[in-house]
């Protein structure tokens, strides 16, 4: 059962981006501060300083710690004895690399939206800088904060499924089945290559699906892939709004990944099914408290969050509510931010014995590599490429 006892002081925290109108800023703030793990003390919330300052003061941030730019914030906060220790980056994709690099160089721990950047070279640079500066770098693959994802990991690790043969992943919503970006700035930048990067749905939702598999089956590695992508809303080309990826793994297992924004009528359809030689499991983010468990020759069963029959593991049993009460995305993100905070405190105190699993810079590098390989495959006639 989850405990409110942190065992350390709140991490002094700032934000870049995530201001008024941000699609993701609120969930960062609500989740980071849910257990008091982080305390918001500074921000550069908006490219319009007056608007950002007014917004930050509404949040209760002191006026003198609201900044016109992230550079000014990093410079000022790094000089304060009570300055921030960590920063979250909730800005469009094109800015992630430069802001994350500046944050690390200023001596801050980092939590960044995905993708980290546009190229593997940039991603490797951020990874190396994270190691050099001895900092925590978290990536907000928020769905993996759900407890039943980690129950699946423990079941696979324990051999409950047998040898893993097939992994089917998808994140296929329908909210952009028409050209909604004409009237929606939050979608417009996501389909603009200069801001979003070389992909739309592969980077925006496909990497979420991919990381679920990385968490559940961490010892399985992609050996090669084939990607076929489309721009059904023609104005989005060259960025895709639908893509299918075939995967081969180093143990002989195979996988599929479907990423889409044009699955008309679908809410999310973000799910993963892992198939072994003895049994299969399936998790759907719209029903995050349940995990389907199907053993060959036995009745199918549904495992529920918060129950005593689950594996005894902190990532499985971090409940704020008892079993039967629905937990959702805010709880998953809060679990993630709690793990970020535990890791940051471990680095601050130089006591790294109790760090929990969290999506880190290495996982972020993998996401960038995956996007690059998918683009390479698709742009060369949907051919197999070595990973």
């Amino acid at each position: 059962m989850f405990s409110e006892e942190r065992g350390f002081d709140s991490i002094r925290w700032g934000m870049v981006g995530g201001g008024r109108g941000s699609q993701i800023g609120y969930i960062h703030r609500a989740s980071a501060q849910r257990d008091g793990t982080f305390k918001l003390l500074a921000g550069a919330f908006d490219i319009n300083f007056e608007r950002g300052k007014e917004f930050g003061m509404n949040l209760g941030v002191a006026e003198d710690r609201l900044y016109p730019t992230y550079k000014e914030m990093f410079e000022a906060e790094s000089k304060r004895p009570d300055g921030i220790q960590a920063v979250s980056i909730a800005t469009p994709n094109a800015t992630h690399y430069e802001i994350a690099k500046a944050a690390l160089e200023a001596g801050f721990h980092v939590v960044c939206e995905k993708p980290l950047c546009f190229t593997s070279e940039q991603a490797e640079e951020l990874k190396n800088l994270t190691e050099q500066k001895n900092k925590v770098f978290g990536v907000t693959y928020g769905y993996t904060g759900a407890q039943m994802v980690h129950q699946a990991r423990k079941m696979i690790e324990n051999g409950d499924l047998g040898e893993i043969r097939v992994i089917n992943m998808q994140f296929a919503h329908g909210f952009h089945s028409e050209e909604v970006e004409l009237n929606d700035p939050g979608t417009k930048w996501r389909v603009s290559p200069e801001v979003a990067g070389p992909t739309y749905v592969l980077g925006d939702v496909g990497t979420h699906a991919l990381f679920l598999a990385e968490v559940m089956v961490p010892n399985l590695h992609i050996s090669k892939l084939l990607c076929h992508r489309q721009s059904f809303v023609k104005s989005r080309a060259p960025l895709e709004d639908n893509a299918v990826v075939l995967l081969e793994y180093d143990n002989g297992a195979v996988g599929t990944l479907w990423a889409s924004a044009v699955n008309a009528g679908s809410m999310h359809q973000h799910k993963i099914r892992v198939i072994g030689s003895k049994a299969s499991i399936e998790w759907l983010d719209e029903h995050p408290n349940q995990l389907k468990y199907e053993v060959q020759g036995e009745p199918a069963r549904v495992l529920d969050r918060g129950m005593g029959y689950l594996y005894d593991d902190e990532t499985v049993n971090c409940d704020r509510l008892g079993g039967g009460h629905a937990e959702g995305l805010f709880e998953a993100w809060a679990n993630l931010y709690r793990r970020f905070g535990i890791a940051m405190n471990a680095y601050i105190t130089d006591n790294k014995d109790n760090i929990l699993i969290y999506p880190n810079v290495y996982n972020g590098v993998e996401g960038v590599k995956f996007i690059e390989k998918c683009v390479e495959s698709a742009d060369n006639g949907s051919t197999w490429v070595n990973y």
Side-chain angles (χ1 to χ4, degrees):
M1 178 64 73
F2 175 82
S3 170
E4 290 183 310
E5 295 297 325
R6 292 190 308 280
F8 58 90
D9 293 334
S10 299
I11 303 293
R12 301 190 301 274
W13 178 54
M15 282 193 74
V16 180
R20 182 171 286 114
S22 166
Q23 290 185 347
I24 205 69
Y26 177 70
I27 195 169
H28 276 276
R29 288 185 291 275
S31 303
Q33 299 178 101
R34 201 173 193 87
D35 307 318
T37 308
F38 290 82
K39 185 175 183 180
L40 183 62
L41 296 174
F45 293 108
D46 201 307
I47 56 174
N48 180 315
F49 176 49
E50 290 304 317
R51 186 170 60 196
K53 181 170 73 171
E54 186 264 340
F55 178 74
M57 290 175 68
N58 285 344
L59 295 177
V61 179
E63 184 175 0
D64 67 339
R65 299 184 77 170
L66 294 166
Y67 301 92
T69 67
Y70 73 86
K71 292 180 181 178
E72 291 170 87
M73 181 170 81
F74 294 170
E75 181 179 4
E77 290 293 322
S78 64
K79 294 176 181 177
R80 294 179 64 119
D82 62 347
I84 60 171
Q85 299 164 298
V87 63
S88 288
I89 302 167
T91 57
N93 299 355
T95 63
H96 292 174
Y97 165 72
E98 64 179 34
I99 299 174
K101 181 180 178 182
L104 290 168
E105 289 174 338
F108 303 129
H109 300 286
V110 175
V111 175
C112 186
E113 280 292 323
K114 49 80 201 153
L116 296 189
C117 48
F118 287 172
T119 69
S120 286
E121 289 77 15
Q122 291 177 337
E124 288 290 335
E125 185 179 354
L126 291 177
K127 181 197 76 173
N128 293 336
L129 190 56
T130 299
E131 293 172 345
Q132 292 167 14
K133 295 293 185 178
N134 195 34
K135 296 299 175 183
V136 169
F137 195 123
V139 184
T140 51
Y141 289 119
Y143 300 97
T144 55
Q147 296 99 299
M148 299 309 284
V149 170
H150 295 271
Q151 168 68 13
R153 176 189 175 104
K154 297 298 290 186
M155 292 173 70
I156 293 167
E157 180 183 282
N158 194 53
D160 296 353
L161 275 63
E163 182 184 11
I164 303 305
R165 293 173 171 173
V166 182
I167 306 177
N168 290 334
M169 300 155 274
Q170 68 180 61
F171 198 149
H173 66 81
F175 289 102
H176 300 161
S177 56
E178 297 180 346
E179 198 175 359
V180 297
E181 56 267 30
L182 292 177
N183 299 304
D184 182 0
T187 304
K188 180 65 176 176
W189 73 257
R190 285 177 166 81
V191 297
S192 303
E194 65 275 10
V195 183
T199 72
Y200 167 34
V201 292
L202 283 165
D204 194 47
V205 296
T207 51
H208 277 298
L210 180 75
F211 188 61
L212 282 179
E214 292 180 22
V215 170
M216 290 184 180
V217 201
N219 295 323
L220 216 57
H221 304 288
I222 301 168
S223 58
K224 59 181 179 178
L225 62 76
L226 182 152
C227 176
H228 188 42
R229 62 177 183 159
Q230 301 79 35
S231 307
F232 283 111
V233 177
K234 300 304 180 185
S235 60
R236 293 172 182 160
L239 301 191
E240 80 292 334
D241 50 24
N242 190 80
V244 176
V245 186
L246 303 181
L247 303 152
E248 289 190 5
Y249 292 94
D250 55 1
N251 76 330
V254 296
T256 62
L257 189 152
W258 177 30
S260 184
V262 296
N263 184 17
S266 167
M267 293 297 291
H268 261 192
Q269 281 298 307
H270 178 204
K271 64 182 179 181
I272 180 170
R273 183 175 179 87
V274 182
I275 300 166
S277 56
K278 298 192 297 186
S280 303
I281 52 174
E282 185 172 301
W283 181 83
L284 173 65
D285 89 344
E286 293 168 52
H287 299 280
N289 297 314
Q290 285 82 41
L291 181 69
K292 290 184 179 179
Y293 178 39
E294 300 166 354
V295 181
Q296 183 60 36
E298 298 181 11
R301 65 202 77 172
V302 177
L303 309 183
D304 272 284
R305 178 198 58 76
M307 300 304 293
Y309 52 69
L310 302 178
Y311 279 100
D312 185 16
D313 182 86
E314 187 169 356
T315 55
V316 176
N317 297 317
C318 50
D319 294 302
R320 292 172 182 79
L321 303 168
H325 297 282
E327 287 189 359
L329 193 62
F330 281 101
E331 301 300 334
W333 273 67
N335 287 341
L336 215 59
Y337 260 102
R338 181 168 178 261
R339 292 172 204 162
F340 292 155
I342 289 170
M344 290 174 191
N345 180 69
Y347 275 69
I348 291 167
T349 60
D350 197 25
N351 180 15
K352 302 176 185 177
D353 293 336
N354 297 312
I355 295 177
L356 302 177
I357 297 167
Y358 68 92
N360 56 43
V361 71
Y362 303 100
N363 306 124
V365 170
E366 188 74 9
V368 174
K369 180 181 176 182
F370 173 74
I371 292 169
E372 283 186 334
K373 291 296 183 180
C374 286
V375 171
E376 179 186 342
S377 170
D379 290 357
N380 284 283
S382 297
T383 57
W384 286 96
V385 297
N386 291 326
Y387 202 68

